[in-house]
Amino acid sequence: MEKVKIGVLGTGAISGIYFQNLTELFQEVEIIAVCDLFKEKAQEASQKYHIPKVYDTMEEMFADKEVEIVLNLTRPGEHYRTTKAALLAGKHVYSEKPLAASYGEGLELAELAKRQGLLLGGAPDTFLGAGIQTCRRLIDDGMIGDVIGAQARMACHGHENWHPAPEFYYQCGGGPMMDMGPYYLTALVNLVGRVKNISGMTGCSFPQRTITSQPKKGTVIDVEVPTHIAGLLQFENGAIGTVLTTFDVYYDRQACLEIYGTKGTLEVPDPNCFGGPIRLLRPQDGSFKEMPLLYDYRENSRGLGVADMAKALRTGRSVRADVQQTLHVLEILTTFEKSSQEGRTLDLASPYERRAAMPDMAVPGILD
């Protein structure tokens, strides 16, 4: 198949693994252009990964007729504006999470992509890795019976003690639910299905944060978003889930994701990763047993979702990390705070259907 040509917008901390995998692992894509507000960063990426074109502005890159998919790696609060501009320029877009900072903005982007006849989707793509895809197969094969519940927990004390520029985690589009929640909620809807309604409560224990990492050590950040979010989910199939994401607590284990069924319990790997241990407990076994991973992409394979979109663009099949998924997840993420503010359970409007599971593939880097 002819390689799909990609233009990358943004060269922040997450970009390195994308550049590495899209130039070394995935064989059906080609990065031909890069753009960043700081041109020297774009030039560094161009030199390191042999990217032929460096653009001063995103408008110039969007005008490049060779660019087919824009990989949007800008900061969360910029996703709506930059993705909209790319769609209006006639480009397919794969965006880092979240799709936008509000459900209304996300819905507008989804409708724009549909009118333009363009593909739109985005991160996280960790659900396509060996860990969660193996869990999906175990659930679909009935290993835990009918799913009746789930628990997701992401607990830490924020990013200001290690991230070089952590301010955006506490601004519009940030916070633990918008930052880390996409991994957990994307995994949950892929394993359990559509969420029907939500009840949430939110809080902010520390209205200011002090950066202790370099190079901004000592800088005080005003916190603009909830940093402790707890909620209940009712899935369309009747299962009930609990979710907690927080930047306010001290804890030595960040990730917890469990699925409960009528015949057993499944411990899912950290949904921020592509692989990781899977443990299954069934009453006849008496204790948790580790299960083998059944699929490829066990290491950090960010870019897998972009490669999947590229293959869909060429073949006409559905995109696995498509906008119906990123929009449904965005509505879930934002409804916790809305429910908390209104003091009631809220029904969700966005549809959702699981896309095809990942198949066994003969050659890593070439998709079905």
Side-chain angles (χ1 to χ4, degrees):
M1 130 180 164
E2 180 186 357
K3 290 188 176 183
V4 174
K5 296 178 172 58
I6 295 172
V8 178
L9 181 63
T11 58
I14 194 66
S15 67
I17 191 63
Y18 276 100
F19 283 125
Q20 179 180 322
N21 288 337
L22 292 173
T23 56
E24 298 177 7
L25 174 59
F26 298 109
Q27 302 178 38
E28 298 174 306
V29 296
E30 178 184 5
I31 300 177
I32 65 163
V34 61
C35 175
D36 192 274
L37 285 173
F38 300 96
K39 189 173 181 179
E40 61 274 15
K41 290 186 176 182
Q43 290 173 330
E44 288 174 8
S46 170
Q47 294 171 3
K48 183 174 182 178
Y49 298 101
H50 309 292
I51 301 168
K53 303 178 186 181
V54 176
Y55 286 104
D56 292 329
T57 69
M58 68 177 188
E59 290 82 6
E60 291 174 343
M61 188 172 77
F62 297 165
D64 186 334
K65 294 182 179 180
E66 282 195 291
V67 173
E68 297 175 86
I69 295 176
V70 170
L71 171 56
N72 188 349
L73 302 182
T74 59
R75 291 186 172 185
E78 301 166 355
H79 289 174
Y80 165 74
R81 177 181 64 87
T82 51
T83 293
K84 182 177 180 179
L87 291 171
L88 288 172
K91 304 303 182 184
H92 308 284
V93 179
Y94 183 96
S95 175
E96 249 302 326
K97 47 81 183 168
L99 174 62
S102 72
Y103 177 66
E105 290 179 346
L107 185 60
E108 182 185 339
L109 293 176
E111 292 173 344
L112 175 59
K114 184 176 180 180
R115 289 197 305 272
Q116 297 280 89
L118 296 168
L119 299 179
L120 174 61
D125 55 3
T126 47
F127 77 98
L128 296 173
I132 293 171
Q133 287 296 307
T134 298
C135 290
R136 173 169 171 170
R137 181 164 167 183
L138 292 171
I139 292 171
D140 290 351
D141 287 350
M143 294 295 287
I144 63 169
D146 297 327
V147 176
I148 59 174
Q151 178 185 188
R153 183 180 69 249
M154 192 295 300
C156 71
H157 205 267
H159 298 354
E160 63 271 18
N161 65 338
W162 62 270
H163 197 282
E167 295 93 332
F168 73 92
Y169 288 107
Y170 301 99
Q171 298 168 349
C172 178
M177 186 59 75
M178 296 294 279
D179 175 46
M180 295 299 293
Y183 298 106
Y184 294 78
L185 274 305
T186 298
L188 280 173
V189 297
N190 271 275
L191 297 176
V192 185
R194 180 180 181 270
V195 174
K196 181 180 179 181
N197 55 55
I198 284 175
S199 179
M201 289 190 178
T202 67
C204 178
S205 307
F206 304 93
Q208 290 186 321
R209 303 276 181 139
T210 300
I211 299 175
T212 59
S213 58
Q214 296 294 346
K216 299 183 178 183
K217 186 175 181 179
T219 302
V220 176
I221 307 169
D222 289 325
V223 178
E224 303 171 0
V225 294
T227 49
H228 190 89
I229 301 99
L232 293 172
L233 312 170
Q234 184 175 44
F235 293 87
E236 204 159 64
N237 66 0
I240 297 172
T242 61
V243 176
L244 171 68
T245 64
T246 179
F247 285 165
D248 290 355
V249 307
Y250 297 96
Y251 209 70
D252 65 348
R253 299 179 304 281
Q254 185 182 88
C256 171
L257 184 56
E258 298 177 338
I259 310 295
Y260 309 121
T262 55
K263 297 180 180 179
T265 294
L266 190 65
E267 287 188 354
V268 181
D270 183 344
N272 190 23
C273 302
F274 287 80
I278 298 170
R279 302 206 311 155
L280 174 65
L281 170 65
R282 296 193 298 172
Q284 58 266 41
D285 296 326
S287 62
F288 277 100
K289 296 185 180 300
E290 188 161 335
M291 306 299 291
L293 297 176
L294 303 176
Y295 295 94
D296 292 324
Y297 306 111
R298 305 177 183 196
E299 306 303 323
N300 190 340
S301 303
R302 277 176 172 78
L304 177 55
V306 186
D308 180 81
M309 176 180 280
K311 192 59 174 272
L313 179 61
R314 288 287 186 263
T315 64
R317 66 156 171 81
S318 295
V319 178
R320 289 185 170 93
D322 64 355
V323 70
Q324 64 100 36
Q325 175 168 285
T326 56
L327 183 63
H328 186 54
V329 169
L330 178 61
E331 186 178 19
I332 297 170
L333 300 174
T334 55
T335 298
F336 289 109
E337 184 175 4
K338 185 178 180 182
S339 170
S340 180
Q341 292 170 344
E342 298 184 13
R344 63 191 180 98
T345 299
L346 297 176
D347 292 334
L348 301 190
S350 54
Y352 176 75
E353 292 183 8
R354 297 192 305 169
R355 299 310 188 203
M358 292 286 282
D360 293 318
M361 290 171 282
V363 181
I366 297 180
L367 278 70
D368 60 305

